[in-house]
């Protein structure tokens, strides 16, 4: 029995057996070998393989596991507090790095629209500190396969977020952590791609923009790091700059011996109002 997931078609609770999730109306979703389930109805797919590509996901894993974002992970952990036993959804989990780092002991649901990401996250979870009950689902942030008022915490880390949908699934008093780029994040990478620094405008989401939430804390984490080869190339591939980089800029960044870069993160914690 899984008390967290709901059927994307009829919204009834899903029950898990060895091979699938089934709802009372007999809608059935196969459990993949790696331990994830695809709950993205075809009509919600805008492209054949939505979300980040396997290549981008692998670059992300290589970069994040090299430890250069560990200061950010520490800042996130202190903002979130203990998640042990809590019901947590990681929205846009990618290949699962932050879930593995932050959600040990939680009743976790990790979702992403990219099947390749969810597959990588589910596979790696087996050799991590994540609970064996953690669920991994292909789904959209716009239609979470979760019951109303059911979750204690929602994470959105560098991922698209639908505030109405996050508000729907959180309990009253439940928390939403939105983390992403602050203005100076990766400014040197922006310079290497565009030939000029373009500061981030921020994600434009705050408690003021949504009546359902109250802002609990807002922090920045800033650090300067020096990346050895080949990590500058991995970093480029895990950011939106990758789509905009001309082939020459891409090759130049991939060939760098080392790269000094500014990290500047924004971490907001919001609470769902009664
Ligand atoms: C920049 S990555 C961040 C991944 C992860 N949170 C991390 O920081 O490593 C953004 C992720 O959002 C996913 N994504 C894009 N649109 C989405 C949507 N509508 N619903 C859920 N995930 C989405 C992408 O597939 C990608 O894995
Ligand atoms: Zn159903």
């Amino acid at each position: 029995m899984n008390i967290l997931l709901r059927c994307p078609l009829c919204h009834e609770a899903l029950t898990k057996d060895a091979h699938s999730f089934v709802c009372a109306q007999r809608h059935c979703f196969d459990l993949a070998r790696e331990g994830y389930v695809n709950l993205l109805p075809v009509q919600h797919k805008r492209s054949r393989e939505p979300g980040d590509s396997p290549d981008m996901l692998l670059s992300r894993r290589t970069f994040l596991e090299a430890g250069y974002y560990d200061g950010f992970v520490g800042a996130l952990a202190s903002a979130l507090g203990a998640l042990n036993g809590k019901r947590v959804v990681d929205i846009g989990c990618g290949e699962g790095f932050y879930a593995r780092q932050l959600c040990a002991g939680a009743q976790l649901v990790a979702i992403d629209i990219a099947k390749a990401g969810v597959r990588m996250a589910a596979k790696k979870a087996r050799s991590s500190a994540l609970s064996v009950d953690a669920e991994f689902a292909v789904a959209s942030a716009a239609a979470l396969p979760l019951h109303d008022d059911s979750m204690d915490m929602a994470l959105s880390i560098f991922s698209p977020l639908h505030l109405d949908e996050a508000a729907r699934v959180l309990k009253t008093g439940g928390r939403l952590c939105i983390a992403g780029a602050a203005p100076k994040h990766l400014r040197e990478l922006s310079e290497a791609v565009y030939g000029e620094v373009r500061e981030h405008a921020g994600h434009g989401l705050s408690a003021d923009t949504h009546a359902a939430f109250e802002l609990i804390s807002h922090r920045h984490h800033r650090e300067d790091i020096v990346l050895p080869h080949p990590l500058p190339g991995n970093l480029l591939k895990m950011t939106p700059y990758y789509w905009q980089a001309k082939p020459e800029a891409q090759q130049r960044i991939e060939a760098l011996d080392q790269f000094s870069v500014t990290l500047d993160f924004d971490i907001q914690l919001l609470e769902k109002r009664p």
Side-chain angles (χ1 to χ4, degrees):
M1 179 73 187
N2 183 284
I3 50 169
L4 296 177
L5 293 173
R6 76 176 195 181
C7 174
L9 303 174
C10 70
H11 300 173
E12 299 264 2
L14 286 172
T15 305
K16 187 179 189 178
D17 64 27
H19 305 289
S20 59
F21 283 88
V22 190
C23 74
Q25 309 240 24
R26 304 233 141 263
H27 299 124
C28 183
F29 306 89
D30 290 345
L31 198 56
R33 194 162 27 95
E34 296 84 355
Y36 71 91
V37 60
N38 190 343
L39 297 178
L40 189 67
V42 270
Q43 60 269 32
H44 290 183
K45 269 178 131 179
R46 296 228 183 94
S47 65
R48 209 172 63 85
E49 292 295 343
D52 283 7
S53 67
D55 192 31
M56 293 176 79
L57 288 155
L58 263 180
S59 285
R60 176 173 296 279
R61 174 169 285 175
T62 305
F63 181 86
L64 292 173
E65 294 202 333
Y68 290 90
Y69 275 19
D70 285 0
F72 172 50
V73 171
L76 279 168
S78 85
L80 297 176
L83 294 180
N84 219 10
K86 300 237 170 100
R87 294 176 170 193
V88 180
V89 55
D90 184 2
I91 303 172
C93 64
E95 58 71 48
F97 175 77
Y98 294 102
R100 291 192 295 280
Q101 297 292 316
L102 300 167
C103 300
Q107 292 182 59
L108 172 72
V109 176
I111 71 114
D112 199 286
I113 207 162
K115 188 158 77 176
V118 178
R119 183 190 291 126
M120 284 171 74
K123 204 170 166 192
K124 185 112 186 181
R126 292 178 176 165
S127 57
S128 78
L130 286 179
S131 152
V132 286
D133 295 330
E135 301 296 357
F136 296 85
V138 183
S140 169
L144 296 169
L146 298 168
H147 300 287
D148 295 357
D149 305 303
S150 63
M151 306 303 287
D152 298 300
M153 176 72 77
L155 308 178
S156 172
I157 305 174
F158 282 99
S159 294
L161 177 65
H162 290 251
L163 277 173
D164 286 340
E165 191 58 357
R168 180 185 67 76
V169 304
L170 282 169
K171 298 175 184 169
T172 297
R175 293 188 164 185
L176 166 65
C177 177
I178 307 175
K184 301 199 183 314
H185 190 54
L186 307 182
R187 62 207 308 270
E188 297 81 359
L189 191 61
S190 134
E191 194 167 17
V193 168
Y194 303 120
E196 61 177 13
V197 174
R198 295 189 192 170
E199 293 202 342
H200 291 272
H203 42 59
L205 295 173
S206 75
D208 300 338
T209 62
H210 203 285
F213 292 104
E214 179 185 350
L215 183 64
I216 299 296
S217 68
H218 192 173
R219 349 180 159 195
H220 283 100
H221 178 81
R222 185 116 164 241
E223 228 179 302
D224 295 315
I225 57 167
V226 182
L227 295 175
H229 183 82
L231 292 176
N234 293 126
L235 177 65
L236 174 65
K237 272 199 194 163
M238 66 182 248
T239 69
Y241 297 124
Y242 183 51
W243 306 112
Q244 281 134 32
K246 297 211 171 82
E248 311 83 77
Q250 202 176 312
Q251 282 156 18
R252 206 172 50 245
I253 293 165
E254 281 169 356
L256 287 171
D257 277 339
Q258 57 172 38
F259 188 46
S260 299
V261 65
T262 306
L263 307 182
D264 193 16
F265 301 98
D266 184 90
I267 304 172
Q268 287 187 72
L269 194 65
L270 317 180
E271 186 170 291
K272 182 173 162 183
R273 295 181 204 270

